[in-house]
Amino acid sequence: MQRRSVLLSALAAPLARAASRTEIAIDGDRFLLNGKPTYPGRTWKGKKIEGLLLNARMIQGIFDDRNSLTVDRWKYPDTGRWDPARNTREFLAAMPEWRRHGLLSFTIGLQGGSPEGYSKDQPWETGAFRPDGALLPDYRQRLELILNRADSLGMAPIVSVFYFGQDERLESEKAVRRALAETVDFLLGRDYRHVLLEVANECDNKAYQQLALKPELIPLLIREVRKTTKRGRRLLVGTSFNGGRIPSEAVVAASDFVILHGNGVKDPAVIRQMVQRVRQQPGYRPKPILFNEDDHFDFDKEENNFAAALSEYAGWGYFDPDGYQSPPVNWGLNTERKRAFFRMLSEVTGQP
């Protein structure tokens, strides 16, 4: 483990020096990068793309498993062992190609996501926090590598803090608040201006055990993030609900941007309705709406969830539970499903 940390530190130093300064901001219902709308002037099939944030769920970029009984499940076939440093190194190597296809954002998780795609039980221990909520140094180092590379590429990642199935690894509500506070302090302390924050993935999932992360109380955590500043800056923040669900009025009101999930939604018309219902909420004011997780594909068809989201001026996020969430992950475009998404992404964004 010490050798891995030394290798990661050696990689981090040149990346930090070479990083450009990318800044994400919000203007009404548009995202801005460095003061200009994303995808400036771009339309696709009559749909406005300018100002949207197109993304993919790459949640396992800093993944590790501290459970000795389950870690062998993720071993690389060529070495017969799991290697978190290799996972992050290969993630970094793949990022420029994602960017060349027009990907401006990806979601990466501090408590990961189910490494089996969808799981009923989660015996593994994959979170970036000690039981008391302290942020573990090796996870922080791997995250820093990825955020630095994203900064240099002009990308704006979404850092997702909590995940159901791992939240119970935190011993108390105090630990939850410490974990969130240390994450925010780290991101602001490094002066990352290109990062968005998702407090919890699918906060209405019944598997959550920490009450502070449930829909009734999570607006309090969102507001805590919003009021935390350093050098006059704060993070832009939101949280997501289960696939097909609409965030509560309280969550929408508290959030800087609205996160939706399209998991399990097979009819693209429902995707359009979800966006419409958010905008019809009594307390809604113009703010960006984006899906950052959707396991519906059909990229070769005229009607698919990606196109449906765009038709309502909402960003969309590709979720490939087998291809990008189940370690050991091949972070390249190594399957036809991945290539189909990136082909459509290139077409939508006007990339060669």
Side-chain angles (χ1 to χ4, degrees):
M1 184 63 71
Q2 185 177 3
R3 182 171 178 270
R4 290 175 183 167
S5 298
V6 170
L7 289 172
L8 287 169
S9 297
L11 279 170
L15 282 175
R17 288 195 299 271
S20 63
R21 179 52 63 197
T22 302
E23 185 167 356
I24 185 79
I26 289 174
D27 176 26
D29 60 357
R30 306 184 303 169
F31 283 106
L32 309 180
L33 276 181
N34 295 332
K36 298 179 181 180
T38 59
Y39 311 111
R42 182 64 184 169
T43 62
W44 177 73
K45 295 185 177 181
K47 303 176 181 71
K48 180 182 173 184
I49 305 303
E50 179 183 276
L52 296 180
L53 198 62
L54 304 182
N55 63 95
R57 182 174 171 86
M58 307 294 195
I59 204 76
Q60 309 288 29
I62 61 172
F63 176 87
D64 198 5
D65 185 359
R66 297 191 301 283
N67 185 342
S68 61
L69 299 179
T70 57
V71 68
D72 281 347
R73 298 188 190 192
W74 330 121
K75 60 188 178 184
Y76 287 92
D78 58 339
T79 64
R81 64 184 183 90
W82 166 247
D83 184 349
R86 172 180 173 177
N87 177 60
T88 298
R89 186 169 62 249
E90 293 179 355
F91 187 105
L92 294 167
M95 289 172 65
E97 186 166 15
W98 306 339
R99 182 65 181 87
R100 283 194 295 271
H101 284 78
L103 195 76
L104 287 184
S105 184
F106 54 87
T107 301
I108 187 164
L110 290 174
Q111 288 196 316
S114 170
E116 293 180 343
Y118 291 102
S119 301
K120 182 178 179 180
D121 300 312
Q122 296 193 49
W124 38 82
E125 188 170 352
T126 60
F129 307 107
R130 295 191 179 97
D132 65 358
L135 184 58
L136 291 164
D138 54 332
Y139 283 81
R140 185 175 62 240
Q141 284 186 326
R142 292 194 295 273
L143 180 62
E144 188 171 2
L145 284 169
I146 289 171
L147 297 184
N148 288 348
R149 178 64 60 84
D151 194 11
S152 70
L153 291 171
M155 303 178 78
I158 302 168
V159 174
S160 185
V161 185
F162 300 111
Y163 184 73
F164 59 86
Q166 293 299 311
D167 69 302
E168 60 263 36
R169 304 288 183 182
L170 296 166
E171 61 191 14
S172 64
E173 180 181 336
K174 182 179 179 181
V176 170
R177 293 181 178 277
R178 178 179 178 180
L180 183 60
E182 289 207 6
T183 300
V184 172
D185 184 68
F186 163 69
L187 296 173
L188 290 176
R190 292 290 290 141
D191 199 25
Y192 287 132
R193 303 182 180 190
H194 62 308
V195 175
L196 303 167
L197 197 75
E198 179 184 47
V199 174
N201 174 81
E202 298 184 351
C203 67
D204 61 332
N205 194 292
K206 294 180 179 178
Y208 274 110
Q209 297 186 22
Q210 296 288 348
L211 295 179
L213 299 176
K214 292 180 178 287
E216 297 77 15
L217 295 180
I218 205 164
L220 299 176
L221 295 183
I222 294 173
R223 286 194 284 270
E224 282 186 22
V225 174
R226 293 188 62 172
K227 73 181 183 183
T228 303
T229 62
K230 187 166 289 191
R231 293 185 289 272
R233 292 189 55 254
R234 70 172 181 86
L235 297 174
L236 299 172
V237 59
T239 197
S240 61
F241 279 53
N242 279 325
R245 299 288 301 277
I246 303 301
S248 66
E249 290 184 27
V251 165
V252 170
S255 301
D256 292 299
F257 56 98
V258 180
I259 305 175
L260 301 177
H261 282 183
N263 302 23
V265 177
K266 297 180 180 180
D267 183 355
V270 175
I271 295 293
R272 290 191 286 270
Q273 292 165 8
M274 290 173 66
V275 179
Q276 293 165 5
R277 286 169 57 197
V278 170
R279 293 197 174 109
Q280 290 165 0
Q281 287 188 355
Y284 173 80
R285 57 177 175 78
K287 60 183 66 179
I289 300 174
L290 75 152
F291 292 80
N292 77 334
E293 184 175 339
D294 194 339
D295 61 359
H296 186 273
F297 312 116
D298 289 346
F299 301 115
D300 59 332
K301 298 180 180 178
E302 189 71 20
E303 273 282 280
N304 58 55
N305 285 10
F306 189 175
L310 299 180
S311 72
E312 292 296 328
Y313 196 60
W316 191 80
Y318 171 68
F319 170 40
D320 187 340
D322 300 318
Y324 281 135
Q325 185 160 300
S326 300
V329 177
N330 183 320
W331 295 108
L333 279 60
N334 65 310
T335 67
E336 181 52 35
R337 177 185 288 174
K338 293 177 181 179
R339 290 189 289 269
F341 163 67
F342 280 101
R343 279 196 299 268
M344 182 170 175
L345 178 68
S346 295
E347 179 186 332
V348 167
T349 60
Q351 301 301 309

